[in-house]
Amino acid sequence: MDFLRPASWEEALAAKAEHPTAVPIAGGTDVMVEINFDHRRPGHLMDLNRIGELSEWQVGPDTVRLGASVPYSAVMKHLRAELPGLALASHTVASPQIRNRGGVGGNLGTASPAGDAHPALLAAGAEVEAASVRGTRMIPIDDFYTGVKRNALAPDELIRAVHIKKADGPQQYSKVGTRNAMVIAVCAFGLALHPGTRTVRTGIGSAAPTPVRAKEAEAFLGAALEEGGFWESGKIITPSVAKQFAQLAAGACNPIDDVRGTAAYRRHAVGIMARRTLGWTWEQYRGAGRTLEGAA
Amino acid sequence: MALHPRAASVPAGTPTKITQGSGTRGGIGESTLRPDGTLKVTGEFAYSSDMWHEDMLWGHTLRSTVAHAEIRSIDIGEAVATPGVYAVLTYDDLPAEMKNYGLEIQDTPVLAHGKVRHHGEPVALVAADHPETARRAAAKIKIDYAGLPVITDEASATAPDAVLVHEGRTDHHAGHVPHPNIVHRQPIIRGDADAAAERADVIVTGDYVFGMQDQAFLGPESGLALPSEDGGVELYVATQWLHSDLRQIAPVLGLPEDKVRMTLSGVGGAFGGREDLSMQIHACLLALRTGKPVKMVYNRFESFFGHVHRHPAKLHYEHGATRDGKLTHMKCRIVLDGGAYASASPAVVGNASSLAVGPYAVEDVDIEAIALYSNNPPCGAMRGFGAVQACFAYEAQMDKLAAALDMDPVELRQLNAMEQGTLLPTGQPVDSPAPVAELLRRVKARPLPPEQQWLAAGAEGDSVDVRALPGGLSNTTHGEGVVRGVGYAVGLKNVGFSEGFDDYSTARVRMEVINGEPVATVHTAMAEVGQGGVTVHAQIARTELGVNQVTIHPADTQVGSAGSTSASRQTYVTGGAVKNSCEAVREQVLEIGRRRFGSYHPAWATAELLLEGGKVVTDGGEVLASLADVLEDETVDVELEWRHRPTEPFDLRTGQGNGHVQYSFAAHRAVVEVDTELGLVKVIELACAQDVGKALNPLSVVGQIQGGTTQGLGVAVMEEIIVDPKTAKVRNPSFTDYLIPTILDTPAIPVDVLELADDHAPYGLRGIGEAPTLSSTPAVLAAIRNATGLELNRTPVRPEHITGT
Amino acid sequence: MRVNFTVNGRKQEADDVWEGESLLYVLRERMGLPGSKNACEQGECGSCTVRLDGVPVCSCLVAAGQAEGREVVTVEGLADYARHRDDAHPGTGCAAGACGTSLDAAQRWQARPADGRSAEAAELSPVQQAFIDAGAVQCGFCTPGLLVAADELLEAQPSPSDEDIREALSGNLCRCTGYEKILDAVRLAAARQEEAVR
């Protein structure tokens, strides 16, 4: 195994082009587990920690450009206002030690359906800035996940940053696990209200081969909110609408039975979380939301 | 030598008799601090995985990837040829006639021969200059497996045409079991349960399932073996019983026991998981073959395969009662799955059966407990040892019975509670205090924690602190669907090794004068695994010898056996041995004193003499001499074995016999908040009341009770080794999916300690380590049932059991 | 490969390092610092927690090469680290980030080599002493990781609530204690530090 330590982004791209099977490592919270347990022996390990810009972020008018290696702890601490859903998701990641090292870039690189950031990215709307020696392209988040632990990156590409839409309305995130820390999601749900476009976006984790949106549920809810004039009136969403939304969200799942949970439970839980997160975000939109302690 | 006047003046007529140890600081009853605490907090305490030696090689085990298969061939050619590899060993390389080991039945191959019987069974060993070299070499070993039918439960184990897990059994249980795939069977029949059932107004039955729990000690299996010049070997290892290991290691190496020199290195927890051998023989084999030191460390993945787990169990119970709540009878059948090798299964069967009734008085019982051989992972000792599984079932039954009788569940238990003098189903009387009803009363009397604590926080009226809710920061509820539940349970555990086992310990105590100060040295082979035995030994020595300076010698095989650090027995038995040896030392010291100074003062001959504060004193407090003056250059050095009162085997037909040394009782109350829609549970308080007889170190006692309580919480809501029912392969061998409680999962654990002495035991103490693992689990289950109204006959409870999806 | 980094204030070098080794392995097996523990090597237990440039991380998940040129504090250096913090930044800690060591402080601050004898003479950091005093140490295998995490907590939050303590230590497993006495120890250390500052 060779250990590469590019000092700059350009060096990193060049190295990846030369060794397309090189495995990039930043926080190490996925890659090192595989190496420690002898599940992976890449020919080249490419350390990205020397590239300082990957740990920086810029807040623009509409988006936050989040460097691929910004640790979750920084998102929680500094981007709660701009990216509330992602900040909540970050707070559910593993442990303080892991949150100090792991970041969204690594989550995307691994592209596990259980990755904590994905439902929040899907709900907020985002684009992945993927670069290679051939140039840079923006991959819409909806097109990023292509299979179980597979993503749309070409072999010579690295993730430089993620451009995430700044919140224009309340966002929520909920993760079901059988323990209160250091737990892989049994299922997870992200929801973002977008009053600017009068749409609602969702993200579901650990309930399908990839992270997915509940598009039918979103379309239904968008139409119902429009028809009922809810955006303007701010009145409470009709229980039947919330129920239908939850059912459609559950229906968007394609889960399996595994050691962490059953398919039936996952569908059921997603429905519950869809209903609850809709309630919480809508209450916040109405101005009647309760303030939450403990960073949720 | 000057005589000192009596220190204090006393009113006439008031007795001022002092007792041995009452004047010495740091003795029993105080919360003295651990002697190894400083090294542990500076990171300098040497655990078995911290061992290091110049020139050492790394050992690695190749384990089977299937549960039951013939080994058609093993090709190690490529592995041997790998640069940096010093040895590759298989069964054919075992040097002596003995090829197996085992705690009771030597049925476990050191390296697989001809077949493997469980997922992860050791097949080959590699020694290399770096762990990665060893791993890569092991990956080059080619093994041709031919699959065999897999036995995974009682039906497949006892079917008429079932494949035998062990052919040609010759062990002493083989003759009395109904099928060769049953390791051991213990029935207990007392009175006439069927006839008594006729009297019952209410009968409740239940089928319960207890999942496979893992000890999950944090310190990995590890150690260092060094070949000696005389052809022997030195072994530094973390274990629970040095001499039991030694007895199994030496024959396989073909060495006499005195050529296998074992020293206990630091142990990172045990909980039963180190009673069986793991890497001990393997490391020694590699060291002797290569002539170099060999270190072996299991990573967490391998650790799940490297030790036995708690027996999963299926339990069928029947209880009857008259309308007033008095139990009429009890019947049960307990099936423990022992997996591929026997380990401690026979003893677990004995425990489960004899303690199957729990801390209740019932005269008519019909009990049967068996342990199966199967191709599931081998199971053996884990804290609680068969009594845990039974307690889960009988406490569920008691709640069912209370509901059927429309009685309060605690009152029903108190009505039937054991007392001093109650007979166990084995006919053995409980001959010490049995405060079962009182323990329940205490946990019940505690004020309940305030409701809806998530609303209490915050300045504004409408703040929610998710950290007080099920799901916590994972943000699954802000109060929706959350229902509180409260549950109670009480359990009965035995202390010590039972059924006639010659359970003893040895302590060597030396007293000498160093730099003018009397110093005691205590040397035992007791494995300190975190329980605080080293602290207590020093306290006992201070109390019995009246000295402050006590050194605890490292545990090794240069002193006689201390028995196992298990069965809640160490403070009783090795503590008893230390006390006994100290008493002998004291006698010898006083003899020397009489010899030297007897003519100076009549009290040497007439008074009761004690050792206090480094001096010889009378029980009236008069100082006769300093220990420094008594001993001068002499050393008093005593090594003695000590035994508790003997026990008897259980009759193989009736189960009758005085089989246990002592009993231990604990009760719990659990308060939970359940998100009933998502099936998530938060335990917000798990209070315990336990009778410890005498708390030799109160701080340690409470710490042990809180730790055991937490392990019980773990198996109630999250801990289970999941074994594929078709392939018998372990599906979650890692901390990612075998979940033990984090600090965000544990509640407040207030502990109420009773000290009702057991006069048969040293200082009146009771063994304490296991009782809290019994009643904690059923208390949590009872609380969840209370919140949800569900029957919940299985532990651990998973969210889908609560949501019904 | 060769790696160079600073551990507990002292520059260290390791040679012939296999590229897949973790920082934890290098500390334990090459640098004679086995204080950080290897309970899981998968980031699920926290027993390997060290400070990497001041930040608590799982050293089992840092590739050895990633530590190049960086500063590591392990449990073996915790007492010295705490002493430096009190001397150089009393009451505030190094958390501000601009941890410049005055010449005077640097001359008085020396990393103590890890040898068994010095442990008895060494002055422990408040959190280390509190763990002993509160009975928070049983087998002790989780203790080093907890100490590093708890020390950082008290540096950042001198008066943490119980919820704060639980959250900060949620990445550290303990199998022996049930965590109650660990909470006692952190509260004790916080109270003592508050006393000392006043």
Side-chain angles (χ1 to χ4, degrees):
Chain A
M1 202 189 298
D2 279 338
F3 195 85
L4 307 171
R5 305 194 68 231
S8 70
W9 185 243
E10 290 66 36
E11 262 188 61
L13 292 183
K16 192 65 159 99
E18 196 185 331
H19 310 285
T21 58
V23 173
I25 177 174
T29 56
D30 279 333
V31 174
M32 284 307 288
V33 179
E34 294 185 289
I35 290 182
N36 289 345
F37 275 14
D38 204 7
H39 291 326
R40 200 174 206 187
R41 286 290 179 268
H44 296 83
L45 205 53
M46 182 161 65
D47 173 25
L48 299 176
N49 279 171
R50 290 178 74 190
I51 306 168
E53 55 150 287
L54 295 177
S55 305
E56 293 165 9
W57 66 89
Q58 295 85 39
V59 179
D62 297 312
T63 63
V64 173
R65 180 180 180 271
L66 188 71
S69 301
V70 172
Y72 291 113
S73 51
V75 174
M76 278 165 54
K77 202 165 165 193
H78 301 290
L79 293 167
R80 201 164 276 284
E82 296 84 350
L83 308 174
L86 187 64
L88 281 170
S90 300
H91 210 146
T92 72
V93 171
S95 68
Q97 292 92 327
I98 303 289
R99 296 195 283 268
N100 283 337
R101 289 285 290 167
V104 175
N107 222 215
L108 288 166
T110 301
S112 161
D116 295 313
H118 310 311
L121 295 174
L122 286 169
E127 291 181 305
V128 179
E129 184 184 327
S132 70
V133 291
R134 300 175 287 112
T136 299
R137 62 180 176 128
M138 302 291 273
I139 308 176
I141 195 72
D142 289 334
D143 301 334
F144 187 79
Y145 313 104
T146 58
V148 179
K149 295 193 142 190
R150 302 230 305 275
N151 60 41
L153 294 176
D156 64 341
E157 279 180 317
L158 294 171
I159 300 171
R160 193 169 192 178
V162 190
H163 299 247
I164 310 164
K165 284 230 190 74
K166 282 161 65 172
D168 63 318
Q171 300 182 346
Q172 272 291 347
Y173 180 93
S174 185
K175 167 176 161 180
V176 170
T178 42
R179 183 166 75 169
N180 285 334
M182 298 200 286
V183 72
I184 308 262
V186 174
C187 53
F189 193 83
L191 186 103
L193 299 182
H194 296 281
T197 49
R198 296 199 169 193
T199 53
V200 178
R201 283 175 66 105
T202 60
I204 303 176
S206 284
T210 66
V212 293
R213 284 172 53 197
K215 288 198 169 145
E216 257 192 74
E218 292 172 14
F220 162 79
L221 184 63
L225 292 177
E226 192 64 51
E227 243 178 73
F230 289 94
W231 292 108
E232 301 91 354
S233 69
K235 62 182 202 280
I236 295 181
I237 296 179
T238 327
S240 59
V241 167
K243 188 170 166 191
Q244 176 80 331
F245 172 70
Q247 268 170 9
L248 289 169
C253 300
N254 184 12
I256 57 170
D257 292 339
D258 66 15
V259 292
R260 295 178 199 132
T262 62
Y265 175 78
R266 287 175 158 115
R267 270 195 210 92
H268 167 85
V270 166
I272 303 287
M273 291 189 296
R275 195 190 78 220
R276 287 182 182 174
T277 52
L278 177 61
W280 302 335
T281 49
W282 194 254
E283 285 299 288
Q284 219 179 318
Y285 176 74
R286 295 176 63 230
R290 293 191 281 191
T291 59
L292 298 173
E293 303 253 327
Chain B
M1 192 217 76
L3 297 176
H4 300 268
R6 184 178 294 210
S9 65
V10 292
T14 308
T16 57
K17 223 165 130 83
I18 59 174
T19 50
Q20 174 59 45
S22 56
T24 307
R25 297 265 316 279
I28 62 158
E30 288 183 39
S31 290
T32 56
L33 301 180
R34 306 188 59 99
D36 54 10
T38 300
L39 287 176
K40 284 179 174 175
V41 300
T42 57
E44 290 169 78
F45 183 81
Y47 294 91
S48 54
S49 52
D50 300 332
M51 301 279 111
W52 191 88
H53 199 278
E54 192 78 50
D55 217 34
M56 76 186 188
L57 299 176
W58 286 81
H60 178 80
T61 324
L62 180 68
R63 294 175 178 272
S64 76
T65 49
V66 291
H68 199 202
E70 268 174 38
I71 300 177
R72 291 255 169 86
S73 64
I74 306 181
D75 180 356
I76 63 171
E78 260 191 72
V80 171
T82 304
V85 169
Y86 285 68
V88 180
L89 304 181
T90 63
Y91 173 88
D92 292 334
D93 296 298
L94 296 176
E97 273 197 39
M98 184 48 124
K99 315 284 188 193
N100 286 359
Y101 68 90
L103 287 178
E104 191 189 320
I105 302 172
Q106 278 77 54
D107 63 352
T108 314
V110 172
L111 291 170
H113 175 56
K115 66 151 79 168
V116 291
R117 295 182 176 86
H118 70 93
H119 185 201
E121 181 163 345
V123 181
L125 303 171
V126 177
D129 55 9
H130 188 287
E132 176 65 4
T133 312
R135 280 191 291 264
R136 297 277 62 77
K140 292 181 190 157
I141 297 176
K142 301 185 195 39
I143 306 186
D144 185 17
Y145 290 111
L148 293 170
V150 171
I151 297 190
T152 57
D153 58 12
E154 189 179 5
S156 52
T158 57
D161 58 345
V163 170
L164 297 187
V165 181
H166 292 273
E167 307 261 356
R169 281 175 64 181
T170 53
D171 60 88
H172 57 279
H173 296 294
H176 71 82
V177 288
H179 190 287
N181 280 338
I182 293 178
V183 184
H184 177 43
R185 174 179 180 269
Q186 181 63 65
I188 303 185
I189 318 266
R190 194 169 169 83
D192 187 337
D194 285 330
E198 306 281 314
R199 291 190 287 113
D201 292 317
V202 163
I203 292 186
V204 296
T205 63
D207 287 285
Y208 303 95
V209 175
F210 200 104
M212 186 187 291
Q213 188 178 18
D214 191 88
Q215 300 83 347
F217 42 77
L218 291 194
E221 291 85 337
S222 45
L224 181 72
L226 292 109
S228 315
E229 280 183 20
D230 64 357
V233 66
E234 275 174 71
L235 182 60
Y236 296 84
V237 70
T239 181
Q240 287 179 236
W241 189 355
L242 285 168
H243 289 74
S244 162
D245 286 5
L246 178 62
R247 214 176 311 125
Q248 298 171 74
I249 296 169
V252 176
L253 300 181
L255 290 171
E257 282 189 11
D258 61 15
K259 281 207 168 154
V260 180
R261 298 161 195 106
M262 297 185 65
T263 305
L264 185 78
S265 37
V267 185
F271 321 114
R274 296 191 209 267
E275 275 194 37
D276 298 81
L277 299 180
S278 60
M279 40 59 67
Q280 289 89 325
I281 297 178
H282 295 165
C284 289
L285 287 169
L286 290 172
L288 290 168
R289 169 63 74 97
T290 60
K292 286 168 147 298
V294 173
K295 174 168 174 170
M296 292 187 78
V297 180
Y298 292 1
N299 64 20
R300 184 53 52 177
F301 176 85
E302 180 169 20
S303 178
F304 277 104
F305 296 100
H307 60 265
V308 300
H309 316 282
R310 188 194 291 291
H311 290 76
K314 293 196 170 129
L315 312 101
H316 176 83
Y317 265 74
E318 174 182 307
H319 282 84
T322 43
R323 190 48 55 192
D324 62 353
K326 285 296 256 183
L327 290 170
T328 52
H329 72 287
M330 182 281 244
K331 287 157 72 158
C332 74
R333 185 166 188 275
I334 302 175
V335 178
L336 302 159
D337 188 337
Y341 296 106
S343 177
S345 288
V348 177
V349 167
N351 253 33
S353 56
S354 58
L355 304 173
V357 173
Y360 302 109
V362 196
E363 287 178 16
D364 298 274
V365 301
D366 186 335
I367 297 167
E368 183 194 13
I370 66 171
L372 304 170
Y373 269 131
S374 71
N375 296 116
N376 286 324
C379 290
M382 181 172 174
R383 193 174 183 175
F385 209 77
V388 164
Q389 296 91 325
C391 185
F392 169 71
Y394 61 68
E395 286 302 278
Q397 284 284 100
M398 294 304 278
D399 282 343
K400 264 191 186 158
L401 196 55
L405 293 166
D406 203 22
M407 263 186 89
D408 174 83
V410 172
E411 274 179 40
L412 175 67
R413 288 172 167 84
Q414 290 171 321
L415 187 63
N416 291 285
M418 226 175 214
E419 288 171 339
Q420 183 158 359
T422 304
L423 299 184
L424 252 76
T426 57
Q428 182 174 25
V430 179
D431 59 5
S432 63
V436 176
E438 175 61 14
L439 295 173
L440 284 163
R441 191 197 66 74
R442 286 185 176 226
V443 289
K444 182 151 194 216
R446 278 190 175 275
L448 285 165
E451 300 264 352
Q452 302 200 319
Q453 287 173 53
W454 57 91
L455 292 179
E460 272 88 52
D462 38 46
S463 273
V464 170
D465 189 343
V466 289
R467 294 175 298 184
L469 284 159
L473 291 160
S474 292
N475 197 34
T476 47
T477 180
H478 295 173
E480 302 92 331
V482 178
V483 179
R484 171 173 283 207
V486 181
Y488 297 87
V490 62
L492 167 70
K493 181 70 186 59
N494 70 304
V495 170
F497 278 41
S498 310
E499 302 188 63
F501 191 91
D502 182 24
D503 187 18
Y504 69 91
S505 184
T506 316
R508 180 177 175 190
V509 176
R510 181 168 77 241
M511 174 114 85
E512 62 202 313
V513 177
I514 300 178
N515 292 336
E517 288 284 323
V519 174
T521 304
V522 178
H523 186 185
T524 73
M526 179 204 70
E528 169 62 47
V529 305
Q531 83 283 18
V534 288
T535 319
V536 160
H537 291 178
Q539 290 177 264
I540 292 174
R542 287 192 200 100
T543 292
E544 298 300 335
L545 298 174
V547 300
N548 244 278
Q549 291 268 77
V550 180
T551 303
I552 305 293
H553 192 284
D556 56 30
T557 47
Q558 302 310 304
V559 67
S561 171
S564 178
T565 298
S566 65
S568 310
R569 70 179 274 292
Q570 279 297 16
T571 308
Y572 191 137
V573 190
T574 303
V578 171
K579 176 174 189 278
N580 184 57
S581 295
C582 285
E583 285 164 350
V585 167
R586 191 167 71 226
E587 271 319 301
Q588 285 193 28
V589 168
L590 292 176
E591 255 320 294
I592 296 173
R594 284 187 199 101
R595 225 196 312 121
R596 284 220 162 104
F597 302 120
S599 53
Y600 286 66
H601 196 293
W604 279 103
T606 59
E608 188 180 328
L609 300 177
L610 312 169
L611 304 186
E612 281 304 347
K615 304 179 176 21
V616 178
V617 306
T618 67
D619 65 349
E622 197 170 344
V623 177
L624 298 185
S626 75
L627 284 173
D629 286 336
V630 169
L631 284 175
E632 288 193 341
D633 288 330
E634 272 191 73
T635 302
V636 178
D637 196 331
V638 161
E639 178 173 335
L640 292 174
E641 285 180 5
W642 185 81
R643 284 168 167 74
H644 54 68
R645 57 190 175 157
T647 58
E648 304 168 336
F650 298 130
D651 182 276
L652 282 175
R653 261 186 334 105
T654 63
Q656 301 300 296
N658 288 342
H660 292 306
V661 181
Q662 182 185 64
Y663 296 101
S664 170
F665 305 91
H668 280 87
R669 181 187 71 191
V671 182
V672 303
E673 306 279 7
V674 181
D675 178 341
T676 51
E677 292 185 301
L678 284 178
L680 300 179
V681 176
K682 183 173 178 64
V683 183
I684 65 166
E685 189 193 77
L686 192 42
C688 180
Q690 184 165 344
D691 178 13
V692 308
K694 165 81 184 169
L696 296 205
N697 185 310
L699 190 64
S700 293
V701 161
V702 173
Q704 279 283 294
I705 294 174
Q706 290 171 335
T709 297
T710 302
Q711 291 181 358
L713 185 161
V715 77
V717 293
M718 62 178 72
E719 291 187 41
E720 186 173 3
I721 297 273
I722 296 174
V723 182
D724 187 295
K726 292 209 186 71
T727 64
K729 289 174 69 162
V730 178
R731 297 183 62 202
N732 59 337
S734 82
F735 272 172
T736 307
D737 288 312
Y738 185 87
L739 302 179
I740 69 174
T742 69
I743 200 174
L744 281 177
D745 302 291
T746 53
I749 308 176
V751 175
D752 206 341
V753 170
L754 270 72
E755 294 182 83
L756 303 177
D758 175 356
D759 295 327
H760 308 281
Y763 305 116
L765 72 88
R766 257 178 235 288
I768 58 150
E770 292 171 287
T773 64
L774 268 66
S775 40
S776 43
T777 306
V780 173
L781 264 284
I784 300 173
R785 291 187 197 110
N786 180 242
T788 61
L790 297 170
E791 202 170 300
L792 299 175
N793 292 334
R794 190 188 198 286
T795 201
V797 177
R798 300 180 68 112
E800 50 262 31
H801 301 155
I802 296 178
T803 60
T805 53
Chain C
M1 64 180 181
R2 172 179 299 169
V3 291
N4 287 278
F5 50 91
T6 305
V7 188
N8 299 331
R10 194 203 242 172
K11 284 202 178 345
Q12 299 264 28
E13 181 179 281
D15 237 326
D16 288 323
V17 173
W18 171 57
E19 287 72 10
E21 285 176 28
S22 62
L23 170 60
L24 178 67
Y25 182 94
V26 171
L27 289 168
R28 290 176 53 77
E29 304 294 343
R30 294 184 182 280
M31 293 184 171
L33 293 168
S36 311
K37 299 303 175 200
N38 54 347
C40 84
E41 294 183 279
Q42 52 173 146
E44 298 273 2
C45 75
S47 69
C48 66
T49 307
V50 301
R51 299 254 228 159
L52 183 65
D53 291 341
V55 176
V57 303
C58 286
S59 59
C60 73
L61 299 183
V62 177
Q66 292 186 302
E68 180 68 33
R70 302 182 73 166
E71 294 203 18
V72 178
V73 177
T74 71
V75 66
E76 290 100 332
L78 204 59
D80 281 338
Y81 185 77
R83 224 186 328 273
H84 156 77
R85 185 171 54 209
D86 286 344
D87 288 346
H89 321 279
T92 60
C94 306
C99 180
T101 310
S102 72
L103 183 59
D104 181 48
Q107 286 171 336
R108 284 183 287 122
W109 177 35
Q110 279 175 29
R112 206 181 311 273
D115 73 74
R117 289 188 315 280
S118 67
E120 301 303 304
E123 214 183 86
L124 300 174
S125 71
V127 74
Q128 286 169 307
Q129 190 61 53
F131 263 63
I132 296 175
D133 295 341
V137 180
Q138 289 188 34
C139 87
F141 208 78
C142 69
T143 302
L146 270 163
L147 289 172
V148 174
D151 177 79
E152 195 268 348
L153 165 69
L154 293 178
E155 183 184 288
Q157 280 186 271
S159 302
S161 67
D162 278 6
E163 281 71 30
D164 295 332
I165 298 173
R166 287 185 186 272
E167 195 182 334
L169 302 183
S170 59
N172 291 82
L173 294 180
C174 172
R175 194 51 163 164
C176 294
T177 67
Y179 303 103
E180 287 287 85
K181 296 200 178 298
I182 291 170
L183 282 158
D184 286 346
V186 178
R187 288 187 210 109
L188 181 61
R192 285 176 174 169
Q193 266 173 218
E194 217 184 286
E195 287 275 323
V197 167
R198 272 201 247 112

